[in-house]
Amino acid sequence: MKGIYNAPTKKSAFAALNDFATKWSGKYSYAVRSWKNNWENLTAFFDFPVEIRKIIYTTNLIENLNGKIRKYTKNKLSFPTDDAVKVNFSGS
């Protein structure tokens, strides 16, 4: 999938999708079919410069934040208010 996201153009990304399909369509036929059926929507990020594209398709920042929130809150059974979560999470 990185070949698709990191492709310089939409055309080369489609070629990367075809390469992916050749290798993995037996195991991930639904995913390949879904990508091909929704190609225009899934590749809208190619309308942006490369620097912006990476932010659009990268979830690492979001996953990192979610991981920190889960790590802190997993041992808490409940918070009395929404503000209690904010205060405790920020370390205050």
Coordinates of all heavy atoms in Angstrom, one line a residue:
M1 N 0.8 -1.2 0.0 CA 0.0 0.0 0.0 C 0.9 1.3 0.0 O 0.5 2.3 -0.5 CB -0.9 0.0 1.2 CG -1.9 -1.2 1.3 SD -2.9 -1.5 -0.2 CE -3.9 -0.1 -0.3
K2 N 2.1 1.2 0.6 CA 2.9 2.3 0.6 C 3.3 2.8 -0.8 O 3.5 4.0 -1.1 CB 4.2 2.1 1.4 CG 4.0 2.1 2.8 CD 5.4 1.9 3.5 CE 5.2 1.9 5.0 NZ 6.4 1.7 5.8
G3 N 3.4 1.8 -1.7 CA 3.6 2.2 -3.1 C 2.6 3.1 -3.7 O 2.8 4.0 -4.5
I4 N 1.3 2.9 -3.3 CA 0.2 3.7 -3.7 C 0.3 5.1 -3.1 O 0.3 6.1 -3.8 CB -1.1 3.1 -3.4 CG1 -1.3 1.7 -4.1 CG2 -2.3 4.0 -3.7 CD1 -2.4 0.9 -3.6
Y5 N 0.5 5.2 -1.8 CA 0.5 6.4 -1.1 C 1.7 7.3 -1.5 O 1.7 8.5 -1.6 CB 0.5 6.2 0.4 CG -0.7 5.7 1.0 CD1 -0.7 4.5 1.7 CD2 -1.9 6.3 0.8 CE1 -1.9 4.0 2.2 CE2 -3.1 5.8 1.3 CZ -3.1 4.6 2.0 OH -4.3 4.1 2.5
N6 N 2.9 6.6 -1.7 CA 4.1 7.3 -2.0 C 4.3 7.6 -3.4 O 5.3 8.2 -3.8 CB 5.3 6.6 -1.4 CG 5.3 6.5 0.1 OD1 4.9 7.5 0.8 ND2 5.8 5.5 0.7
A7 N 3.4 7.2 -4.3 CA 3.6 7.4 -5.7 C 3.5 8.9 -6.0 O 2.8 9.7 -5.4 CB 2.4 6.7 -6.5
P8 N 4.3 9.3 -7.0 CA 4.4 10.8 -7.3 C 3.1 11.3 -8.0 O 2.8 12.5 -8.0 CB 5.6 10.9 -8.2 CG 5.9 9.5 -8.7 CD 5.3 8.6 -7.7
T9 N 2.5 10.4 -8.8 CA 1.3 10.8 -9.5 C 0.2 9.8 -9.3 O 0.4 8.6 -8.9 CB 1.6 10.9 -11.0 OG1 1.9 9.6 -11.5 CG2 2.7 11.8 -11.3
K10 N -1.0 10.2 -9.6 CA -2.2 9.3 -9.5 C -2.0 8.1 -10.5 O -2.4 7.0 -10.1 CB -3.4 10.1 -9.9 CG -4.7 9.5 -9.4 CD -5.8 10.5 -9.7 CE -7.0 10.3 -8.8 NZ -8.1 11.3 -9.1
K11 N -1.5 8.4 -11.7 CA -1.3 7.3 -12.6 C -0.3 6.2 -12.1 O -0.6 5.0 -12.2 CB -0.8 7.9 -14.0 CG -0.6 6.9 -15.1 CD -0.2 7.6 -16.3 CE 0.0 6.6 -17.5 NZ 0.3 7.2 -18.7
S12 N 0.8 6.7 -11.5 CA 1.7 5.7 -11.0 C 1.2 5.0 -9.7 O 1.5 3.9 -9.5 CB 3.1 6.3 -10.7 OG 3.0 7.4 -9.8
A13 N 0.3 5.7 -9.0 CA -0.4 5.1 -7.9 C -1.3 4.0 -8.3 O -1.4 2.9 -7.7 CB -1.1 6.1 -7.1
F14 N -2.0 4.2 -9.5 CA -2.9 3.1 -10.0 C -2.0 1.9 -10.5 O -2.4 0.8 -10.3 CB -3.7 3.7 -11.1 CG -4.8 2.8 -11.5 CD1 -5.9 2.6 -10.7 CD2 -4.8 2.0 -12.7 CE1 -7.0 1.7 -11.0 CE2 -5.8 1.1 -13.0 CZ -6.9 1.0 -12.2
A15 N -0.9 2.2 -11.0 CA 0.0 1.1 -11.4 C 0.5 0.3 -10.2 O 0.5 -0.9 -10.2 CB 1.2 1.6 -12.2
A16 N 0.7 1.0 -9.1 CA 1.1 0.4 -7.8 C 0.0 -0.4 -7.3 O 0.2 -1.5 -6.7 CB 1.6 1.4 -6.8
L17 N -1.3 0.1 -7.4 CA -2.4 -0.7 -7.0 C -2.6 -2.0 -7.8 O -2.8 -3.0 -7.2 CB -3.7 0.1 -7.1 CG -5.0 -0.6 -6.8 CD1 -5.1 -1.1 -5.4 CD2 -6.2 0.3 -7.1
N18 N -2.3 -1.9 -9.1 CA -2.4 -3.1 -9.9 C -1.3 -4.1 -9.5 O -1.5 -5.3 -9.5 CB -2.2 -2.7 -11.4 CG -3.5 -2.1 -11.9 OD1 -4.6 -2.4 -11.4 ND2 -3.4 -1.2 -12.9
D19 N -0.1 -3.6 -9.2 CA 1.0 -4.5 -8.7 C 0.5 -5.2 -7.4 O 0.7 -6.4 -7.2 CB 2.3 -3.7 -8.4 CG 2.9 -3.3 -9.7 OD1 2.5 -3.8 -10.8 OD2 3.8 -2.4 -9.7
F20 N -0.1 -4.4 -6.5 CA -0.6 -4.9 -5.2 C -1.6 -6.0 -5.5 O -1.6 -7.0 -4.9 CB -1.1 -3.8 -4.4 CG -1.7 -4.2 -3.1 CD1 -0.9 -4.3 -2.0 CD2 -3.1 -4.5 -2.9 CE1 -1.4 -4.7 -0.7 CE2 -3.6 -4.9 -1.7 CZ -2.8 -5.0 -0.6
A21 N -2.5 -5.7 -6.4 CA -3.6 -6.6 -6.7 C -3.1 -7.9 -7.3 O -3.6 -9.0 -6.9 CB -4.6 -6.0 -7.7
T22 N -2.0 -7.8 -8.1 CA -1.4 -9.0 -8.7 C -0.9 -9.9 -7.6 O -1.1 -11.1 -7.6 CB -0.3 -8.6 -9.7 OG1 -0.9 -7.9 -10.7 CG2 0.4 -9.9 -10.2
K23 N -0.3 -9.3 -6.6 CA 0.4 -10.1 -5.5 C -0.6 -10.6 -4.5 O -0.6 -11.7 -4.0 CB 1.4 -9.2 -4.9 CG 2.2 -10.0 -3.8 CD 3.3 -9.1 -3.3 CE 4.1 -9.9 -2.2 NZ 5.2 -9.2 -1.7
W24 N -1.6 -9.7 -4.1 CA -2.4 -10.0 -2.9 C -3.9 -10.2 -3.2 O -4.7 -10.4 -2.3 CB -2.3 -8.8 -2.0 CG -0.9 -8.7 -1.4 CD1 0.0 -7.8 -1.8 CD2 -0.3 -9.5 -0.4 NE1 1.1 -7.9 -1.0 CE2 1.0 -9.0 -0.2 CE3 -0.8 -10.6 0.3 CZ2 1.8 -9.6 0.7 CZ3 0.1 -11.2 1.2 CH2 1.4 -10.7 1.4
S25 N -4.4 -10.1 -4.5 CA -5.8 -10.2 -4.7 C -6.4 -11.6 -4.2 O -7.6 -11.6 -3.9 CB -6.2 -10.0 -6.1 OG -5.6 -10.9 -7.0
G26 N -5.6 -12.6 -4.2 CA -6.1 -13.9 -3.7 C -6.4 -13.9 -2.3 O -7.5 -14.4 -1.8
K27 N -5.6 -13.2 -1.5 CA -5.8 -13.1 0.0 C -6.7 -11.9 0.4 O -7.5 -12.0 1.3 CB -4.5 -13.0 0.7 CG -4.6 -13.1 2.2 CD -3.2 -13.2 2.8 CE -3.3 -13.4 4.3 NZ -2.0 -13.6 4.9
Y28 N -6.6 -10.8 -0.4 CA -7.3 -9.6 0.0 C -8.2 -9.1 -1.1 O -8.2 -7.9 -1.5 CB -6.3 -8.5 0.4 CG -5.5 -8.9 1.6 CD1 -4.1 -9.1 1.4 CD2 -6.0 -8.9 2.9 CE1 -3.3 -9.5 2.5 CE2 -5.2 -9.3 3.9 CZ -3.9 -9.6 3.7 OH -3.1 -9.9 4.8
S29 N -9.0 -10.0 -1.7 CA -9.8 -9.6 -2.9 C -10.8 -8.5 -2.6 O -11.0 -7.6 -3.4 CB -10.5 -10.8 -3.5 OG -11.4 -11.4 -2.5
Y30 N -11.4 -8.6 -1.4 CA -12.4 -7.5 -1.1 C -11.7 -6.1 -1.0 O -12.2 -5.2 -1.5 CB -13.0 -7.9 0.3 CG -14.0 -6.8 0.7 CD1 -15.3 -6.8 0.1 CD2 -13.7 -5.8 1.6 CE1 -16.2 -5.8 0.4 CE2 -14.6 -4.9 1.9 CZ -15.9 -4.9 1.3 OH -16.8 -3.9 1.7
A31 N -10.5 -6.1 -0.4 CA -9.8 -4.8 -0.3 C -9.4 -4.3 -1.7 O -9.6 -3.1 -1.9 CB -8.6 -4.9 0.6
V32 N -8.9 -5.1 -2.5 CA -8.5 -4.7 -3.8 C -9.7 -4.2 -4.6 O -9.7 -3.1 -5.3 CB -7.8 -5.9 -4.6 CG1 -7.6 -5.5 -6.1 CG2 -6.5 -6.2 -3.9
R33 N -10.8 -5.0 -4.6 CA -12.0 -4.6 -5.3 C -12.5 -3.2 -4.7 O -12.9 -2.3 -5.5 CB -13.1 -5.7 -5.1 CG -14.3 -5.5 -6.0 CD -15.2 -6.7 -6.0 NE -15.5 -7.3 -4.7 CZ -15.0 -8.4 -4.2 NH1 -14.2 -9.1 -4.9 NH2 -15.3 -8.8 -3.0
S34 N -12.5 -3.1 -3.4 CA -12.9 -1.8 -2.8 C -12.1 -0.6 -3.3 O -12.6 0.4 -3.6 CB -12.9 -2.0 -1.3 OG -13.3 -0.8 -0.7
W35 N -10.8 -0.8 -3.3 CA -9.9 0.3 -3.7 C -10.2 0.6 -5.2 O -10.3 1.8 -5.5 CB -8.4 -0.2 -3.6 CG -7.8 0.3 -2.3 CD1 -7.8 -0.4 -1.1 CD2 -7.1 1.5 -2.1 NE1 -7.1 0.4 -0.2 CE2 -6.6 1.5 -0.8 CE3 -6.7 2.5 -3.0 CZ2 -5.9 2.6 -0.3 CZ3 -6.0 3.6 -2.5 CH2 -5.6 3.6 -1.1
K36 N -10.4 -0.4 -6.0 CA -10.6 -0.1 -7.4 C -12.0 0.6 -7.6 O -12.1 1.5 -8.4 CB -10.5 -1.3 -8.3 CG -9.0 -1.7 -8.4 CD -8.8 -2.9 -9.4 CE -7.3 -3.1 -9.6 NZ -7.1 -4.2 -10.6
N37 N -13.0 0.1 -6.9 CA -14.3 0.7 -7.0 C -14.4 2.1 -6.5 O -15.3 2.9 -6.9 CB -15.4 -0.2 -6.3 CG -15.6 -1.5 -7.0 OD1 -15.3 -1.6 -8.2 ND2 -16.1 -2.5 -6.3
N38 N -13.6 2.5 -5.5 CA -13.6 3.8 -4.9 C -12.4 4.6 -5.2 O -12.0 5.5 -4.5 CB -13.8 3.6 -3.4 CG -15.1 2.9 -3.0 OD1 -16.1 3.5 -3.2 ND2 -15.0 1.7 -2.6
W39 N -11.7 4.3 -6.3 CA -10.4 4.9 -6.6 C -10.5 6.5 -6.6 O -9.6 7.1 -6.0 CB -9.9 4.4 -8.0 CG -8.6 5.0 -8.4 CD1 -8.4 5.9 -9.4 CD2 -7.4 4.7 -7.8 NE1 -7.0 6.2 -9.4 CE2 -6.4 5.4 -8.5 CE3 -7.0 3.9 -6.7 CZ2 -5.1 5.4 -8.1 CZ3 -5.6 3.8 -6.4 CH2 -4.7 4.6 -7.1
E40 N -11.4 7.1 -7.2 CA -11.5 8.5 -7.3 C -11.6 9.2 -5.9 O -10.9 10.2 -5.6 CB -12.6 9.0 -8.1 CG -12.4 8.8 -9.6 CD -11.1 9.3 -10.1 OE1 -10.8 10.5 -9.8 OE2 -10.4 8.6 -10.9
N41 N -12.4 8.6 -5.0 CA -12.5 9.1 -3.6 C -11.3 8.8 -2.8 O -10.8 9.7 -2.0 CB -13.7 8.5 -2.9 CG -15.0 8.9 -3.5 OD1 -15.1 10.0 -4.1 ND2 -16.0 8.1 -3.5
L42 N -10.7 7.7 -2.9 CA -9.5 7.3 -2.1 C -8.2 8.0 -2.5 O -7.3 8.1 -1.8 CB -9.3 5.8 -2.2 CG -10.4 4.9 -1.5 CD1 -10.2 3.5 -1.8 CD2 -10.4 5.2 0.0
T43 N -8.2 8.5 -3.7 CA -7.0 9.2 -4.2 C -7.2 10.7 -4.3 O -6.4 11.4 -5.0 CB -6.6 8.6 -5.6 OG1 -7.7 8.8 -6.5 CG2 -6.2 7.2 -5.4
A44 N -8.1 11.3 -3.6 CA -8.3 12.7 -3.6 C -7.1 13.5 -3.1 O -6.9 14.6 -3.5 CB -9.6 13.1 -2.8
F45 N -6.3 12.8 -2.3 CA -5.1 13.4 -1.7 C -4.1 13.8 -2.7 O -3.2 14.6 -2.5 CB -4.5 12.6 -0.5 CG -4.0 11.3 -0.9 CD1 -2.7 11.1 -1.4 CD2 -4.8 10.2 -0.8 CE1 -2.2 9.9 -1.7 CE2 -4.3 8.9 -1.2 CZ -3.0 8.8 -1.6
F46 N -4.2 13.2 -3.9 CA -3.2 13.6 -5.0 C -3.4 15.0 -5.5 O -2.6 15.5 -6.3 CB -3.3 12.5 -6.1 CG -2.5 11.3 -5.8 CD1 -3.2 10.1 -5.4 CD2 -1.1 11.3 -5.9 CE1 -2.4 9.0 -5.2 CE2 -0.4 10.1 -5.7 CZ -1.1 9.0 -5.3
D47 N -4.5 15.6 -5.2 CA -4.8 17.0 -5.6 C -4.0 18.0 -4.8 O -4.0 19.1 -5.1 CB -6.3 17.3 -5.4 CG -7.2 16.5 -6.3 OD1 -6.7 16.0 -7.4 OD2 -8.4 16.3 -6.0
F48 N -3.3 17.5 -3.7 CA -2.5 18.3 -2.9 C -1.0 18.1 -3.1 O -0.6 17.1 -3.6 CB -2.8 18.0 -1.4 CG -4.3 18.3 -1.0 CD1 -5.2 17.3 -1.2 CD2 -4.6 19.6 -0.6 CE1 -6.5 17.6 -0.8 CE2 -6.0 19.8 -0.3 CZ -6.9 18.8 -0.4
P49 N -0.2 19.1 -2.6 CA 1.3 18.9 -2.7 C 1.7 17.8 -1.9 O 1.1 17.4 -0.9 CB 1.8 20.3 -2.2 CG 0.7 21.2 -2.2 CD -0.5 20.4 -2.1
V50 N 2.9 17.2 -2.2 CA 3.4 16.0 -1.5 C 3.5 16.2 0.0 O 3.1 15.3 0.8 CB 4.8 15.7 -2.0 CG1 5.5 14.6 -1.3 CG2 4.8 15.3 -3.5
E51 N 3.9 17.4 0.5 CA 4.0 17.7 1.9 C 2.7 17.6 2.6 O 2.6 17.1 3.7 CB 4.6 19.1 2.2 CG 6.0 19.3 1.6 CD 6.0 19.6 0.1 OE1 5.0 19.9 -0.5 OE2 7.1 19.5 -0.5
I52 N 1.7 18.0 2.0 CA 0.3 18.0 2.5 C -0.2 16.6 2.5 O -0.9 16.1 3.4 CB -0.6 19.0 1.8 CG1 -0.1 20.4 1.9 CG2 -2.1 18.9 2.4 CD1 0.0 20.9 3.3
R53 N 0.0 15.9 1.4 CA -0.4 14.5 1.2 C 0.0 13.6 2.3 O -0.8 12.8 2.8 CB 0.1 13.9 -0.1 CG -0.7 14.3 -1.3 CD -0.3 13.4 -2.4 NE 0.6 14.1 -3.3 CZ 1.4 13.5 -4.2 NH1 1.4 12.2 -4.3 NH2 2.1 14.1 -5.0
K54 N 1.2 13.7 2.8 CA 1.7 12.9 3.8 C 0.9 13.1 5.1 O 0.6 12.1 5.8 CB 3.2 13.1 4.1 CG 3.8 12.1 5.0 CD 5.3 12.2 5.1 CE 5.8 11.1 6.0 NZ 7.3 11.1 6.0
I55 N 0.6 14.3 5.4 CA -0.2 14.6 6.6 C -1.6 14.0 6.4 O -2.2 13.4 7.4 CB -0.3 16.1 6.8 CG1 1.0 16.7 7.1 CG2 -1.3 16.4 7.9 CD1 1.1 18.2 7.1
I56 N -2.2 14.0 5.3 CA -3.5 13.5 5.0 C -3.6 12.0 5.2 O -4.5 11.5 5.9 CB -4.0 13.9 3.6 CG1 -4.2 15.4 3.5 CG2 -5.3 13.1 3.3 CD1 -4.5 15.9 2.1
Y57 N -2.7 11.2 4.7 CA -2.8 9.8 4.8 C -2.0 9.2 5.9 O -2.1 8.0 6.1 CB -2.4 9.1 3.4 CG -1.0 9.3 3.0 CD1 0.0 8.5 3.6 CD2 -0.6 10.1 1.9 CE1 1.3 8.6 3.2 CE2 0.7 10.2 1.5 CZ 1.6 9.5 2.1 OH 2.9 9.6 1.7
T58 N -1.3 9.9 6.7 CA -0.5 9.4 7.8 C -1.4 9.5 9.1 O -1.8 10.6 9.4 CB 0.8 10.1 8.0 OG1 1.6 10.0 6.8 CG2 1.6 9.6 9.2
T59 N -1.5 8.4 9.8 CA -2.3 8.5 11.0 C -1.5 8.3 12.2 O -2.0 8.3 13.3 CB -3.4 7.3 11.0 OG1 -2.7 6.1 10.9 CG2 -4.4 7.5 9.9
N60 N -0.1 8.3 12.0 CA 0.8 8.1 13.2 C 0.6 9.1 14.3 O 0.6 8.7 15.5 CB 2.2 8.1 12.7 CG 2.6 6.8 11.9 OD1 1.8 5.9 11.9 ND2 3.7 6.9 11.2
L61 N 0.4 10.4 13.9 CA 0.2 11.4 15.0 C -1.1 11.1 15.8 O -1.1 11.2 17.0 CB 0.2 12.8 14.3 CG 1.5 13.2 13.7 CD1 1.2 14.5 12.9 CD2 2.6 13.4 14.7
I62 N -2.1 10.8 15.0 CA -3.4 10.5 15.7 C -3.3 9.3 16.6 O -3.8 9.3 17.7 CB -4.5 10.4 14.6 CG1 -4.7 11.7 13.9 CG2 -5.8 10.0 15.3 CD1 -5.5 11.7 12.7
E63 N -2.7 8.2 16.0 CA -2.6 7.0 16.8 C -1.7 7.2 18.0 O -2.0 6.6 19.1 CB -2.0 5.9 15.9 CG -3.0 5.4 14.8 CD -2.3 4.5 13.8 OE1 -1.1 4.1 14.0 OE2 -3.0 4.1 12.9
N64 N -0.7 8.0 17.9 CA 0.2 8.3 19.0 C -0.6 8.9 20.2 O -0.5 8.5 21.3 CB 1.4 9.1 18.6 CG 2.4 9.3 19.7 OD1 2.4 8.6 20.7 ND2 3.2 10.3 19.5
L65 N -1.4 10.0 19.8 CA -2.2 10.6 20.8 C -3.2 9.7 21.4 O -3.4 9.7 22.6 CB -2.9 11.9 20.2 CG -3.9 12.6 21.1 CD1 -3.1 13.2 22.3 CD2 -4.6 13.7 20.4
N66 N -3.9 8.9 20.6 CA -4.9 8.0 21.1 C -4.3 7.0 22.0 O -4.8 6.6 23.0 CB -5.6 7.3 19.9 CG -6.6 8.2 19.2 OD1 -7.0 9.2 19.8 ND2 -6.9 7.8 18.0
G67 N -3.1 6.5 21.7 CA -2.3 5.6 22.5 C -2.0 6.1 23.9 O -2.2 5.5 24.9
K68 N -1.6 7.4 23.9 CA -1.3 8.0 25.2 C -2.6 8.2 26.0 O -2.6 8.0 27.2 CB -0.7 9.4 25.0 CG 0.7 9.3 24.5 CD 1.4 10.6 24.3 CE 2.8 10.5 23.8 NZ 3.5 11.8 23.6
I69 N -3.7 8.6 25.4 CA -4.9 8.7 26.1 C -5.4 7.4 26.7 O -5.8 7.2 27.8 CB -6.0 9.3 25.2 CG1 -5.7 10.8 24.9 CG2 -7.4 9.2 25.8 CD1 -6.5 11.4 23.8
R70 N -5.3 6.3 25.8 CA -5.7 5.0 26.3 C -4.8 4.5 27.5 O -5.3 3.9 28.4 CB -5.6 3.9 25.2 CG -6.8 3.9 24.3 CD -6.8 2.7 23.4 NE -5.6 2.6 22.6 CZ -5.4 3.2 21.4 NH1 -6.4 4.0 20.9 NH2 -4.3 3.1 20.7
K71 N -3.5 4.7 27.3 CA -2.6 4.3 28.4 C -2.9 5.0 29.7 O -2.9 4.3 30.8 CB -1.1 4.7 28.0 CG -0.1 4.3 29.0 CD 1.3 4.7 28.5 CE 2.3 4.4 29.6 NZ 3.6 4.9 29.2
Y72 N -3.2 6.2 29.7 CA -3.5 6.9 30.9 C -4.9 6.6 31.5 O -5.1 6.4 32.7 CB -3.5 8.5 30.7 CG -3.7 9.2 32.0 CD1 -2.6 9.3 32.9 CD2 -4.9 9.7 32.4 CE1 -2.8 9.9 34.2 CE2 -5.1 10.3 33.6 CZ -4.1 10.4 34.5 OH -4.2 11.0 35.7
T73 N -5.9 6.4 30.6 CA -7.3 6.2 31.1 C -7.6 4.8 31.3 O -8.7 4.5 31.9 CB -8.3 6.8 30.1 OG1 -8.1 6.2 28.8 CG2 -8.1 8.3 30.0
K74 N -6.8 3.8 30.9 CA -7.2 2.4 31.0 C -7.4 1.9 32.4 O -8.3 1.0 32.6 CB -6.3 1.5 30.2 CG -5.0 1.2 30.9 CD -4.1 0.3 30.1 CE -2.8 0.0 30.9 NZ -2.0 -0.9 30.1
N75 N -6.7 2.5 33.3 CA -6.8 2.0 34.7 C -7.9 2.8 35.5 O -8.1 2.5 36.7 CB -5.5 2.1 35.4 CG -4.5 1.2 34.9 OD1 -4.8 0.1 34.4 ND2 -3.2 1.6 34.8
K76 N -8.4 3.8 34.9 CA -9.5 4.6 35.5 C -10.8 4.0 35.2 O -11.1 3.8 34.0 CB -9.4 6.1 35.0 CG -8.1 6.7 35.2 CD -7.7 7.0 36.6 CE -6.4 7.7 36.6 NZ -5.7 7.7 37.9
L77 N -11.6 3.8 36.2 CA -13.0 3.2 35.9 C -13.9 4.3 35.4 O -14.8 4.0 34.6 CB -13.5 2.5 37.1 CG -12.7 1.3 37.6 CD1 -13.3 0.8 38.9 CD2 -12.7 0.2 36.5
S78 N -13.8 5.5 35.9 CA -14.6 6.6 35.5 C -14.0 7.9 35.9 O -13.2 8.0 36.8 CB -16.0 6.4 36.0 OG -16.0 6.6 37.4
F79 N -14.4 8.9 35.3 CA -14.1 10.3 35.6 C -15.4 11.0 36.0 O -16.4 10.9 35.2 CB -13.4 11.0 34.5 CG -12.0 10.4 34.2 CD1 -11.8 9.5 33.2 CD2 -10.9 10.9 34.9 CE1 -10.6 8.9 32.9 CE2 -9.7 10.4 34.6 CZ -9.5 9.4 33.6
P80 N -15.4 11.7 37.1 CA -16.6 12.4 37.5 C -17.1 13.4 36.5 O -18.3 13.6 36.3 CB -16.3 13.0 38.8 CG -14.8 13.0 38.9 CD -14.3 12.0 38.0
T81 N -16.2 14.1 35.8 CA -16.6 15.1 34.8 C -15.6 15.1 33.6 O -14.5 14.5 33.7 CB -16.5 16.5 35.4 OG1 -15.2 16.8 35.7 CG2 -17.4 16.7 36.7
D82 N -16.0 15.7 32.5 CA -15.1 15.8 31.4 C -13.9 16.6 31.8 O -12.8 16.3 31.3 CB -15.8 16.5 30.2 CG -16.9 15.6 29.6 OD1 -16.9 14.4 29.9 OD2 -17.7 16.2 28.8
D83 N -14.0 17.6 32.6 CA -12.8 18.4 33.0 C -11.8 17.5 33.8 O -10.6 17.8 33.8 CB -13.3 19.6 33.9 CG -14.0 20.7 33.0 OD1 -13.7 20.7 31.8 OD2 -14.8 21.4 33.6
A84 N -12.3 16.5 34.5 CA -11.4 15.7 35.3 C -10.5 14.9 34.4 O -9.3 14.8 34.7 CB -12.2 14.7 36.2
V85 N -10.9 14.5 33.2 CA -10.1 13.9 32.2 C -9.1 14.8 31.7 O -7.9 14.5 31.6 CB -10.9 13.3 31.0 CG1 -10.0 12.8 30.0 CG2 -11.9 12.3 31.5
K86 N -9.5 16.0 31.4 CA -8.5 17.0 30.8 C -7.5 17.4 31.8 O -6.3 17.4 31.5 CB -9.3 18.3 30.4 CG -10.3 18.0 29.3 CD -11.1 19.3 29.0 CE -12.2 19.0 28.0 NZ -13.1 20.1 27.9
V87 N -7.8 17.6 33.1 CA -6.9 18.0 34.1 C -5.9 16.8 34.4 O -4.7 17.0 34.4 CB -7.6 18.4 35.4 CG1 -6.6 18.6 36.5 CG2 -8.4 19.7 35.2
N88 N -6.4 15.6 34.5 CA -5.6 14.5 34.8 C -4.7 14.1 33.6 O -3.5 13.8 33.8 CB -6.4 13.2 35.1 CG -7.0 13.3 36.5 OD1 -6.4 13.8 37.4 ND2 -8.3 13.0 36.7
F89 N -5.1 14.2 32.4 CA -4.4 13.9 31.2 C -3.2 14.9 31.0 O -2.1 14.5 30.6 CB -5.2 13.8 30.0 CG -4.4 13.3 28.8 CD1 -3.9 12.0 28.7 CD2 -4.1 14.2 27.7 CE1 -3.2 11.6 27.6 CE2 -3.4 13.8 26.7 CZ -2.9 12.5 26.6
S90 N -3.5 16.1 31.3 CA -2.5 17.2 31.0 C -1.4 17.2 32.1 O -0.4 17.9 32.0 CB -3.1 18.5 30.9 OG -3.6 18.9 32.2
G91 N -1.6 16.4 33.2 CA -0.6 16.3 34.2 C -0.8 17.4 35.3 O 0.0 17.5 36.2
S92 N -1.9 18.1 35.2 CA -2.1 19.2 36.2 C -2.7 18.6 37.5 O -3.4 17.6 37.5 CB -3.0 20.2 35.6 OG -2.4 20.8 34.5

